[in-house]
């Protein structure tokens, strides 16, 4: 077995795959866009049903862990204590898990569903407001966090309780031999999916920083501006990466939460407070009530509705799956010592409710501006919707500056966390990967984001991610099977030991 901390086949092959993709993107950007678009279309149309069922399975498994006797099992040895306080733990998993996405889509997604393309009702109506919020909650709620939780549980259980390497392949050891080529192929796939998911989010971050600067200052909104932004942020997150997990990432995660809370509080006070809180309360009930039907909605007889599902729900499920090896590995790394029940409840419920509040405050404000005819927020570019909303409230410039700062720190934290996770996954599960390995991954992440933006903008990012997520979803199902087999073995062993003790 390869020594922990050493790079090997997984590192070399994935770097090679990415270099080839980057080269194609430079030489023939249209070809890269066409290939990813065709593959994305095929997967979304032929396997949309599969994505809905798989993600729903993840939710059911997580809920089972909360109520089952397995919930008492620790993600670690029986005497292990949590390494981080609850506030720091929530800050780190939230920064890694949703960060840039919440800021990017906070005002944009609800108003788009309301005014431009409603999932089930006529646009611009009162019903469309409620539908917009309900489906936004659906995309950012327990389904998303269940995907992260499953990966994190499997990795943390096998790493901290069974002393296995912190690799995706190691979680499959109860059901297959992962020592040879098969295990390496699984890890290569996981790393490739991670890079595509992280690169997509970094692309969103660069586009929104550019959108905010363009909206406020008149600077051009262009690829070259986004390139400069990525270059600057790359330098900053590599600087952070060199300080280690307990300094750079932990401190920046706490800064993120403070800035996000200030922005949230600011908007809560100056925005339409009562409207947003009423909207949150009402649509939270609707979300809980209709969660089963939304989970399996594929619209086989309605072409327009099916197109909406492909563009939004399937896109999000693929995004979370592609993002999950990274977020799952990172959450597992910072969750040692927590019980399965405590972990699953914390990861599933708390970030979901915080996200719902976020969308209610920022999405509620953008929708109200639209309904009152004050501003056509839905006609702005997605990356400018938040800043267009701020423009119509007191201290809008201040909030825009805070938002750009928050996006930048989320960008740095996500990229920094990703270099740590990719270093871990390509150094045989090392909990403290070498700085040079993290630096290599940091540069590759930024280069991938740049090339995908160059070859087709955000659409190329989305296409690539959906393609990469599909095979990894199959691995995730196998991880669940392996986990339950391991838990069953442990339960039998504990019963046997208990009988012998008597």
């Amino acid at each position: 077995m390869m020594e922990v901390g050493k790079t090997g086949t997984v590192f070399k092959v994935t770097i090679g795959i990415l270099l080839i993709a980057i080269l194609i993107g430079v030489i023939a950007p249209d070809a890269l866009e066409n290939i990813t678009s065709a593959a994305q279309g095929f997967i979304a149309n032929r396997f949309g049903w599969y994505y809905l069922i798989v993600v729903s399975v993840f939710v059911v498994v997580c809920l089972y862990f909360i109520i089952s006797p397995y919930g008492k099992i620790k993600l670690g040895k029986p005497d292990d204590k949590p390494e981080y306080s609850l506030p720091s733990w929530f800050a780190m998993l939230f920064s890694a898990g949703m960060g840039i996405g919440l800021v990017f889509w906070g005002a944009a997604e609800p108003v788009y569903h309301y005014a431009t393309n409603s999932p089930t009702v006529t646009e611009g109506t009162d019903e469309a407001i409620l539908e917009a919020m309900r489906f936004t909650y659906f995309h950012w709620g327990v389904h998303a966090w269940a995907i992260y939780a499953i990966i994190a549980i499997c990795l943390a259980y096998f790493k901290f309780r069974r002393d296995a390497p912190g690799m995706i392949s190691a979680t499959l050891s109860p059901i297959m031999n992962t020592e040879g080529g098969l295990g390496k192929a699984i890890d290569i796939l996981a790393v490739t999916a991670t890079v595509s998911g992280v690169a997509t989010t970094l692309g969103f971050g660069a586009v929104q920083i550019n959108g905010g600067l363009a909206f406020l200052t008149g600077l051009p909104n262009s690829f070259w501006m986004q390139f400069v932004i990525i270059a600057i942020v790359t330098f900053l997150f590599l600087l952070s990466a060199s300080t280690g997990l307990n300094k750079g990432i932990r401190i920046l995660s706490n800064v993120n939460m403070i800035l996000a809370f200030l922005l949230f509080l600011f908007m809560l006070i100056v925005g339409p407070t009562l409207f947003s809180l009423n909207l949150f309360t009402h649509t939270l009930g609707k979300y809980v009530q209709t969660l089963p039907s939304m989970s399996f909605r594929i619209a086989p007889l309605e072409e327009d509705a099916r197109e909406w599902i492909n563009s939004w729900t399937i896109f999000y499920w693929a995004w979370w799956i592609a993002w999950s090896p990274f977020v799952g590995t990172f959450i597992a790394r910072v969750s040692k010592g927590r019980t399965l029940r405590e972990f699953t409840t914390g990861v599933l419920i708390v970030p979901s409710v915080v996200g719902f509040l976020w969308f209610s405050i920022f999405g509620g404000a953008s929708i109200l501006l639209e309904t009152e005819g004050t501003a056509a927020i839905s006609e702005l570019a997605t990356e400018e919707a938040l800043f267009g909303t701020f423009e119509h409230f007191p201290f809008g410039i201040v909030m825009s500056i805070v938002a750009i700062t928050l996006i930048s720190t989320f960008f740095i934290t996500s990229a920094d966390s990703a270099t740590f996770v990719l270093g871990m996954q390509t150094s045989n599960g090392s909990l403290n990967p070498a700085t040079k390995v993290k630096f290599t991954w940091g540069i590759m992440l930024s280069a991938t984001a740049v090339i995908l933006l160059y070859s087709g903008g955000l659409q190329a990012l989305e296409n690539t991610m959906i393609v990469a997520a599909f095979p990894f979803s199959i691995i995730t199902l196998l991880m669940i099977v392996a986990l339950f087999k391991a838990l069953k073995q442990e339960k039998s062993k504990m019963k046997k030991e208990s009988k012998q003790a008597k």
Side-chain angles (χ1 to χ4, degrees):
M1 182 183 286
M2 190 178 80
E3 182 185 343
V4 173
K6 297 288 185 182
T7 57
T9 305
V10 175
F11 178 79
K12 293 171 185 174
V13 172
T14 46
I15 289 289
I17 291 170
L18 290 170
L19 285 173
I20 292 169
I22 289 169
L23 192 63
I24 294 171
V26 172
I27 296 170
D30 290 342
L32 183 63
E33 161 68 4
N34 291 337
I35 291 168
T36 58
S37 181
Q40 180 270 338
F42 177 82
I43 290 171
N45 286 320
R46 298 300 180 94
F47 294 97
W49 59 271
Y50 165 79
Y51 272 113
L52 296 184
I53 291 174
V54 163
V55 176
S56 297
V57 166
F58 298 160
V59 174
V60 171
V61 171
C62 286
L63 294 176
Y64 174 74
F65 283 141
I66 292 174
I67 63 173
S68 77
Y70 289 136
K72 297 177 182 178
I73 293 176
K74 268 194 178 180
L75 297 174
K77 299 295 190 291
D79 296 330
D80 284 343
K81 296 287 188 290
E83 194 174 348
Y84 301 97
S85 67
L86 273 174
S88 283
W89 182 56
F90 283 132
M92 284 194 280
L93 70 89
F94 201 79
S95 293
M98 290 296 177
I100 293 172
L102 277 181
V103 185
F104 189 91
W105 293 108
E109 182 173 345
V111 77
Y112 182 87
H113 293 333
Y114 160 70
T116 305
N117 193 0
S118 176
T120 61
V121 297
T122 304
E123 292 80 6
T125 60
D126 289 347
E127 291 83 2
I129 296 175
L130 302 179
E131 287 294 88
M133 298 308 301
R134 181 166 68 99
F135 276 89
T136 301
Y137 289 180
F138 177 52
H139 293 150
W140 294 81
V142 295
H143 284 70
W145 287 98
I147 297 169
Y148 296 159
I150 289 294
I151 302 295
I153 288 167
C154 293
L155 285 165
Y157 176 82
F158 284 99
K159 175 65 181 176
F160 298 128
R161 196 166 181 91
R162 290 201 164 195
D163 298 316
M167 310 281 286
I168 295 294
S169 59
T171 65
L172 298 173
S173 56
I175 60 173
M176 64 177 72
N177 180 9
T178 56
E179 293 291 328
L182 179 61
K184 288 183 174 61
I186 289 167
D187 289 326
I188 288 166
L189 184 59
V191 172
T192 305
T194 302
V195 172
S196 71
V198 174
T200 301
T201 304
L202 299 187
F204 280 143
V207 167
Q208 192 171 31
I209 292 171
N210 189 186
L213 292 173
F215 195 86
L216 293 175
T217 66
L219 285 169
N221 194 345
S222 67
F223 164 76
W224 291 109
M225 277 296 297
Q226 292 153 23
F227 174 80
V228 171
I229 290 165
I230 289 175
I232 293 170
V233 173
T234 300
F235 171 76
L236 293 173
F237 80 67
L238 290 179
L239 191 66
S240 174
S242 67
T243 64
L245 181 64
N246 287 319
K247 291 183 181 178
I249 295 176
R250 183 177 61 82
I251 293 169
L252 278 174
S253 293
N254 288 331
V255 170
N256 287 342
M257 295 308 289
I258 292 168
L259 285 175
F261 179 73
L262 287 175
L263 192 64
F264 175 86
L265 193 63
F266 215 6
M267 195 64 190
L268 179 64
I269 294 168
V270 305
T273 309
L274 186 60
F275 174 77
S276 295
L277 292 177
N278 284 336
L279 193 62
F280 164 74
T281 305
H282 185 83
T283 48
L284 179 61
K286 283 283 186 183
Y287 165 75
V288 173
Q289 183 183 3
T290 59
L291 194 58
S293 62
M294 285 192 293
S295 299
F296 298 100
R297 179 175 176 260
I298 196 66
L301 306 177
E302 302 171 62
E303 190 174 333
D304 290 344
R306 179 58 194 274
E307 189 178 331
W308 189 96
I309 292 165
N310 286 350
S311 301
W312 288 96
T313 305
I314 303 303
F315 158 68
Y316 273 123
W317 285 188
W319 189 4
W320 307 144
I321 291 170
W323 193 234
S324 67
F326 153 52
V327 180
T329 303
F330 184 76
I331 294 175
R333 173 64 182 85
V334 300
S335 300
K336 181 180 180 182
R338 300 195 183 276
T339 66
L340 200 49
R341 180 172 293 118
E342 178 190 14
F343 171 88
T344 310
T345 304
V347 172
L348 216 61
I349 307 301
V350 176
S352 294
V353 173
V354 172
F356 298 163
L357 279 166
W358 182 276
F359 279 108
S360 297
I361 297 302
F362 294 95
S366 65
I367 285 175
L368 197 62
L369 290 173
E370 191 95 19
T371 59
E372 292 178 343
T374 306
I377 304 298
S378 62
E379 295 178 10
L380 295 173
T382 309
E383 63 270 18
E384 295 180 349
L386 182 67
F387 307 104
T389 301
F390 288 157
E391 186 183 31
H392 298 277
F393 291 99
F395 306 105
I397 296 291
V398 175
M399 287 195 289
S400 292
I401 292 169
V402 172
I404 291 173
T405 306
L406 178 60
I407 297 160
S408 302
T409 55
F410 267 139
F411 195 140
I412 294 167
T413 313
S414 295
D416 187 355
S417 305
T419 62
F420 176 87
V421 167
L422 289 166
M424 183 177 166
Q425 290 289 339
T426 54
S427 301
N428 203 33
S430 170
L431 293 180
N432 294 290
T435 300
K436 64 179 181 180
V437 176
K438 291 192 289 183
F439 274 32
T440 301
W441 280 117
I443 292 166
M444 291 303 295
L445 281 171
S446 295
T448 304
V450 166
I451 290 305
L452 288 172
L453 283 171
Y454 175 69
S455 66
L458 290 179
Q459 191 59 51
L461 292 169
E462 295 174 8
N463 292 343
T464 304
M465 185 182 55
I466 290 173
V467 173
F470 182 70
F472 188 73
S473 67
I474 299 169
I475 292 174
T476 308
L477 286 173
L478 293 174
M479 289 169 69
I480 293 172
V481 174
L483 176 65
F484 272 105
K485 185 173 181 180
L487 290 171
K488 190 175 180 181
Q489 289 170 350
E490 179 168 338
K491 188 177 178 182
S492 299
K493 184 181 176 183
M494 289 169 66
K495 279 185 179 178
K496 189 175 180 182
E497 289 174 351
S498 178
K499 285 181 181 179
Q500 288 175 347
K502 291 178 181 178

